[in-house]
Amino acid sequence: MTLTSNSAIDFIALGKASGTDIQEMIASDEFAEWFKGYLDENVVEIEFTKKDGTSRKMKCTRDIGRIPVVAHPSGAGHTTKATTIQVYDVEVNGWRSFNTESLTRINWQ
């Protein structure tokens, strides 16, 4: 499936309209790439299940304009799964990562 929507709400609606299982769609490499682009311009509150089984809420972004200069990325980072997204947690002021497969809620702001 090709996803061409540039709006978060339209993206979810597109998935539902096409009969796609939303959890399966969110766990896809294609969604992860789209979501990275969305986070490059927005702050989003997410909830996900951590590896230890606990739930975590996080307000995060990849928008370099919202990240303090001292925390700007200085290199290429490390290689991860395509569905792992590195983000800046705006409440704890630090870099974190999550896997889209573990998302349980996305609050589009």
Side-chain angles (χ1 to χ4, degrees):
M1 169 173 54
T2 301
L3 300 172
T4 58
S5 175
N6 60 4
S7 163
I9 294 170
D10 289 347
F11 184 87
I12 298 298
L14 179 62
K16 288 180 180 177
S18 70
T20 300
D21 177 277
I22 296 301
Q23 194 59 39
E24 180 181 314
M25 182 176 68
I26 288 173
S28 72
D29 294 355
E30 188 174 14
F31 175 81
E33 285 305 310
W34 177 87
F35 198 37
K36 286 176 190 176
Y38 187 83
L39 287 163
D40 284 344
E41 299 176 0
N42 299 281
V43 175
V44 176
E45 184 178 81
I46 61 169
E47 189 170 338
F48 60 98
T49 304
K50 294 171 39 175
K51 287 182 181 180
D52 67 5
T54 60
S55 182
R56 172 147 169 19
K57 289 181 182 178
M58 176 171 53
K59 263 190 184 171
C60 57
T61 190
R62 293 168 46 104
D63 181 349
I64 205 75
R66 298 174 196 240
I67 300 169
V69 174
V70 297
H72 283 186
S74 59
H78 60 281
T79 305
T80 58
K81 285 177 57 172
T83 55
T84 300
I85 300 178
Q86 297 169 337
V87 295
Y88 190 79
D89 184 325
V90 299
E91 294 180 324
V92 299
N93 297 313
W95 287 95
R96 303 291 185 266
S97 63
F98 66 91
N99 192 306
T100 59
E101 296 169 4
S102 68
L103 285 170
T104 55
R105 186 178 66 81
I106 302 170
N107 182 12
W108 310 104
Q109 299 180 351

